[in-house]
Amino acid sequence: MSFKHFVLIIYPLVAVGGGIVVQDSAWARDYFDPALLSLAGGSVTITDLSAFETSGQTPAGTYLVTLWVNNTDRGQHRITFRQGDAGQVIPELTPNFLQEMGVNIPMLSAFSSLPAEQPISDLHSLLPDARVQFDFNQQYLKLSIPQIAMKPESGNVVDPALLDQGLPAFLLNYTLNTGSNRQNGAQGQGEREQNSLYVGLRGGLNWEAWRLRSDMTWTRNESRGGRGDRLRNEHNSFANTYLQRDIQSWRSDVLAGEISSGNDVFNSIPLRGAMLSSNEDMVPANLRGFAPVITGVAQSNARVTVTQNGNVVYQTYVAPGPFRLADLYQSGQGGDLTVTVTETDGSVRTWRQAFSSLPVMQRPGGLRYEMSAGRYNGGGTLEAKGAPFALGSLIYGLPHNITVYGGALLSEKYLSFVAGKGVSLGEFGALSADITTSTAELHSEKRQGQSYRVRYAKSLLSSGTSFDLTAYRYSTRDYLSFGDYNSSGYQLREGEVPWKLARQRSNFQLRLSQQLGSYGSLYLSGSRSDYWGREESNTTLSAGYNGSLAGISYGLNYTVDRLSSRGEWPQNRQLSFNMQVPFSLFSSRPALSRSYANYQMSHDSDGRVRQQMGMNGSAVEDRLSWSVAQEKSYSPQHIDGRRIVNLGWQGSKGMVSAGYSQSSRDSSLNLNANGGLVVHPGGVTLSQSLGNTVAVVSAPGAGGVSVMNGGIHTDSRGYAVVPYLSPYQSNTVSLNPATLPENVDLPQSSTQVYPTKGAVVNAAFKPKTGYQALLTLTLAGRALPFGTVVTLTGEQNSGIVGDAGQVWMSGLPAQGVLSAHWGQGLCGATFNLTDAQVSKNNPVRTLNVRCEEK
């Protein structure tokens, strides 16, 4: 194969010192000679292939592309590419479209005189450091825009006009489980049997912005004794019934019904009433919580990279001069950050910035609030006062890494105020302190008291130590929380812990972890509470070590806790060890890649020892899970063995599992199922268990298609439910084209949805149902030229003619009209695929079609 070469001599004029200098330059390029396609000789007409003759050149036209802006996926868009003034093919990007993608068009003077819908001929001339790259093979259009030209919240902000309140729908989550346990007769006693059945339902109705939710549970327990006596009890309840909607202009939610207040300032309070509160989901993810502001000076259009513990947590480009980065993601409770500035000349500057945070803290200008009103509802008592009350709280971020917060709670004979402050101390961690006062009239006696709280957090990444949270609270004798006030003088419900009604004097909490590099990690967590008028203290402690070696993972854990039993508070201590060995260490067979052997051992303070050895694993793309085990228990009274088998299946429409165990003393069987369903305008669709925000996939005619990561498939009508979405953010819902039925084509395999909280949004696809065909097109007995574009009349369905006049097309109807265009030539053809040849093993039909010149 040969190539022709040509040389263009260009004489640009260069202005130097007021004069004009003529500079010679020459360049050459290689191109493909279309005449080589006519190897057989003769005067075969060849269509214009100039768009394809240069390597890497994009033909002009309209393409469905995946758009990436500064490495952020902005979804699929139809973009038109046209021939530019310099001969290159460029995408048609308008100022309006760039603004939708996060470019701060109103603040850029270079765009001020441009019409909003006029395509930009040269983005680089308007933004000198902007770059446009199109990957034709992957259909990726990548835009790199300097950070200084982007909107401050462009990384995650969603245009309010795109937010979707969703479809009118009925939602239902269900959980069903039943169990049967039989004890063998011993010492002359007959067999005993217990059976249980549980049904849990969470239902909801959506209408525009309104969300109605409610929980229902029903239980039945039945026991039969050795003498034939039988006991049965049933119980059902409705709870957590509420109505909710968002107020987007306020970035807030309003709820009414059986709800609970927040726990950032006051302890959470269950109530029947209404609440208006800020919605953190509406805040872009990179502006939530607390993160430090990073400032510096760039000498050029530099790249700024922020890493934490070796992981990149933020990267952007900045313009020359001072820069200020206030949109870092909140990453854990803190840890040292490494800031690297890479200039265009390759020079690098690096510095470290320490910070720590607490959950209550906000970045400067960050605001969270709550206003609630209603009656106290619940607690662990048989009854409670149910006192009416109103509550308000506020958290606000100030400059210099300071957060202030406070609140007030008012009731008829109860009053409480909170005031506090949090501060990030950099190298020394984060600290917050607050004081809560209460004034209550109880049994004709007025009580006034205070409660003091201090919280601390610190991550020492250099040493691997992390104080996740250390907190201490002390309350004076006459301090009453609102829960104490409502439950005072009432009895406990059965099964409640005995300290539920005790008034807490002090409480200490600690969570500490230590990374040991390749040797694993240590952790310690614990809490201790004591109470006014009681000698006992309530203590929990857990300490352990986790590690791995050559793929084998293991852990050692020690726990101490206190359990309620007939009013006493006995102590329980337990030491446990676990180990898991992957079978892939011994064989590379795919069937063993997700199978493990495991061992567990525990020893408690009553001298009981339990050992369990078994195997577990998953198969069928992790949808099938299984485990078998042999357990041995030792106690001072007896030794017992138990065999355990569990099997589970996670399907597209829900999950089912079963377990069976047997010992010398008893046997038990349990069955479980959970899932969901959505009733929507398209019908009823079964689903896995539903989250708060979901999408209904609509792909008519495309049954059995894999959705997202493959765990979900469309039903026979082409519907499916994606059970978990992120509200107020862009969510990509995609179908796997490789799983399409043979007679279905998918022009667009993914779509973007922008749901509000609790919405059921429609993710609509438009599959083309039809035939796949290999057509041979001829005009006056001769094959159409190579590169001819063939289009199905009235549809956006086209193909390009290859060798010998052949073109492959999909989604064709049984009969139709084709239009073919090459160079100056144009012809039309009528086809009928019912006359086409087809084989049992190949769904592609073959047909010769005559084209008539137009």
Side-chain angles (χ1 to χ4, degrees), residues 288-625:
R288 297 176 190 169
F290 175 80
V293 175
I294 294 177
T295 59
V297 178
Q299 306 301 322
S300 61
N301 290 100
R303 183 179 72 244
V304 180
T305 305
V306 182
T307 60
Q308 185 180 53
N309 200 24
N311 301 312
V312 176
V313 297
Y314 184 91
Q315 181 172 293
T316 190
Y317 288 87
V318 297
F323 62 84
R324 183 176 185 271
L325 308 179
D327 58 345
L328 270 70
Y329 288 90
Q330 184 178 19
S331 52
Q333 298 303 316
D336 296 345
L337 301 175
T338 300
V339 184
T340 302
V341 178
T342 305
E343 304 286 355
T344 53
D345 62 3
S347 61
V348 177
R349 289 177 290 115
T350 301
W351 69 88
R352 185 173 61 89
Q353 182 160 334
F355 94 98
S356 294
S357 177
L358 289 163
V360 73
M361 293 192 66
Q362 296 287 298
R363 64 188 75 206
L367 173 68
R368 291 168 62 185
Y369 75 93
E370 176 188 330
M371 292 183 289
S372 302
R375 286 185 174 274
Y376 183 83
N377 175 38
T381 58
L382 289 174
E383 297 180 3
K385 287 187 177 65
F389 72 97
L391 178 151
S393 66
L394 183 73
I395 305 173
Y396 186 70
L398 297 173
H400 309 297
N401 301 332
I402 295 173
T403 297
V404 294
Y405 56 96
L409 191 157
L410 293 81
S411 186
E412 183 180 0
K413 297 182 179 181
Y414 181 90
L415 182 63
S416 180
F417 294 99
V418 178
K421 177 180 178 181
V423 59
S424 179
L425 303 173
E427 296 281 359
F428 302 100
L431 181 71
S432 72
D434 57 62
I435 179 172
T436 306
T437 66
S438 73
T439 302
E441 184 178 330
L442 197 63
H443 310 305
S444 301
E445 179 185 354
K446 189 173 183 179
R447 297 188 180 184
Q448 290 183 326
Q450 298 83 38
S451 181
Y452 307 91
R453 181 174 58 174
V454 177
R455 290 180 288 186
Y456 177 79
K458 173 59 180 172
S459 293
L460 302 170
L461 295 182
S462 58
S463 64
T465 304
S466 175
F467 291 92
D468 293 328
L469 179 66
T470 302
Y472 179 75
R473 179 189 284 274
Y474 175 80
S475 303
T476 61
R477 178 179 291 274
D478 289 327
Y479 172 80
L480 294 175
S481 69
F482 196 55
D484 295 335
Y485 170 74
N486 276 275
S487 59
S488 178
Y490 293 88
Q491 296 180 349
L492 283 170
R493 289 193 179 102
E494 183 179 354
E496 289 289 344
V497 293
W499 55 85
K500 183 74 175 183
L501 294 181
R503 290 191 301 108
Q504 190 177 88
R505 177 167 52 188
S506 66
N507 172 259
F508 175 75
Q509 300 176 42
L510 170 67
R511 293 201 302 264
L512 173 68
S513 63
Q514 175 67 55
Q515 298 296 322
L516 303 175
S518 60
Y519 296 101
S521 63
L522 292 168
Y523 65 90
L524 172 68
S525 65
S527 67
R528 183 184 185 279
S529 300
D530 55 14
Y531 305 87
W532 289 106
R534 290 179 178 266
E535 296 180 356
E536 304 91 345
S537 63
N538 183 18
T539 303
T540 63
L541 177 68
S542 178
Y545 168 76
N546 292 315
S548 63
L549 179 64
I552 301 173
S553 58
Y554 49 89
L556 183 66
N557 177 262
Y558 177 75
T559 61
V560 178
D561 59 44
R562 296 184 179 277
L563 304 175
S564 62
S565 176
R566 298 180 182 177
E568 299 177 356
W569 296 13
Q571 189 177 74
N572 177 57
R573 299 183 302 276
Q574 181 172 283
L575 178 68
S576 62
F577 173 78
N578 65 82
M579 181 172 64
Q580 181 168 273
V581 181
F583 285 146
S584 58
L585 291 177
F586 312 107
S587 173
S588 59
R589 294 174 58 185
L592 300 178
S593 62
R594 296 180 181 273
S595 300
Y596 306 86
N598 53 73
Y599 170 78
Q600 299 178 29
M601 183 277 293
S602 65
H603 182 282
D604 65 22
S605 53
D606 293 328
R608 293 173 296 194
V609 177
R610 184 180 67 89
Q611 296 188 75
Q612 186 184 98
M613 295 186 65
M615 297 182 295
N616 68 83
S618 61
V620 196
E621 298 177 342
D622 289 336
R623 286 181 286 175
L624 175 67
S625 59

Side-chain angles (χ1 to χ4, degrees), residues 731-748:
N731 295 258
T732 301
V733 179
S734 60
L735 303 182
N736 184 356
T739 60
L740 288 169
E742 293 176 345
N743 64 334
V744 176
D745 185 35
L746 194 63
Q748 183 171 342

Side-chain angles (χ1 to χ4, degrees), residues 611 629-634 638-644 661-666:
Q611 296 188 75
Q630 174 70 46
E631 183 177 291
K632 203 76 170 180
S633 299
Y634 307 86
H638 68 276
I639 300 175
D640 195 11
R642 182 178 297 274
R643 293 165 294 280
I644 304 170
S661 68
Q662 184 183 47
S663 72
S664 60
R665 306 177 65 190
D666 63 76

Side-chain angles (χ1 to χ4, degrees), residues 77-328:
H77 303 268
R78 289 198 175 275
I79 303 294
T80 299
F81 290 75
R82 62 177 178 82
Q83 200 78 18
D85 298 336
Q88 80 280 21
V89 176
I90 59 175
E92 290 189 345
L93 304 175
T94 66
N96 261 1
F97 180 77
L98 290 173
Q99 186 168 349
E100 289 178 11
M101 296 302 107
V103 181
N104 200 355
I105 296 296
M107 300 300 295
L108 301 174
S109 58
F111 291 83
S112 60
S113 60
L114 295 180
E117 294 297 335
Q118 176 180 313
I120 297 169
S121 58
D122 185 4
L123 182 62
H124 182 76
S125 64
L126 299 173
L127 292 174
D129 295 290
R131 297 195 303 273
V132 180
Q133 178 185 358
F134 182 50
D135 186 332
F136 183 77
N137 294 330
Q138 298 292 329
Q139 295 290 283
Y140 284 173
L141 178 60
K142 300 180 179 180
L143 304 183
S144 177
I145 308 294
Q147 182 261 353
I148 198 68
M150 299 295 291
K151 298 176 185 176
E153 303 174 355
S154 61
N156 293 277
V157 71
V158 172
D159 185 349
L162 297 175
L163 293 177
D164 188 357
Q165 295 288 3
L167 305 167
F170 169 75
L171 305 90
L172 181 69
N173 262 344
Y174 64 86
T175 299
L176 309 172
N177 60 63
T178 180
S180 177
N181 181 267
R182 176 174 296 179
Q183 291 93 35
N184 301 330
Q187 299 178 356
Q189 297 180 354
E191 292 184 348
R192 297 185 61 85
E193 184 177 350
Q194 293 88 33
N195 298 301
S196 65
L197 178 63
Y198 169 85
V199 179
L201 302 175
R202 177 169 178 78
L205 284 171
N206 282 14
W207 179 259
E208 296 183 345
W210 295 97
R211 320 281 184 244
L212 177 65
R213 299 291 185 266
S214 184
D215 296 341
M216 189 277 284
T217 61
W218 179 80
T219 58
R220 185 182 73 181
N221 297 302
E222 183 180 85
S223 63
R224 181 173 58 83
R227 297 187 177 91
D229 53 324
R230 176 173 295 185
L231 296 175
R232 174 188 292 183
N233 65 75
E234 295 184 5
H235 177 73
N236 65 80
S237 65
F238 284 89
N240 302 321
T241 301
Y242 65 89
L243 186 66
Q244 177 261 332
R245 70 155 296 159
D246 62 9
I247 304 176
Q248 294 178 25
S249 58
W250 295 359
R251 287 185 172 178
S252 301
D253 282 336
V254 59
L255 294 91
E258 297 174 311
I259 56 180
S260 294
S261 66
N263 61 355
D264 293 317
V265 178
F266 288 98
N267 291 333
S268 182
I269 299 172
L271 71 143
R272 283 195 179 103
M275 177 171 67
L276 174 67
S277 63
S278 52
N279 185 338
E280 192 79 350
D281 290 336
M282 293 187 187
V283 179
N286 58 333
L287 295 178
R288 297 176 190 169
F290 175 80
V293 175
I294 294 177
T295 59
V297 178
Q299 306 301 322
S300 61
N301 290 100
R303 183 179 72 244
V304 180
T305 305
V306 182
T307 60
Q308 185 180 53
N309 200 24
N311 301 312
V312 176
V313 297
Y314 184 91
Q315 181 172 293
T316 190
Y317 288 87
V318 297
F323 62 84
R324 183 176 185 271
L325 308 179
D327 58 345
L328 270 70

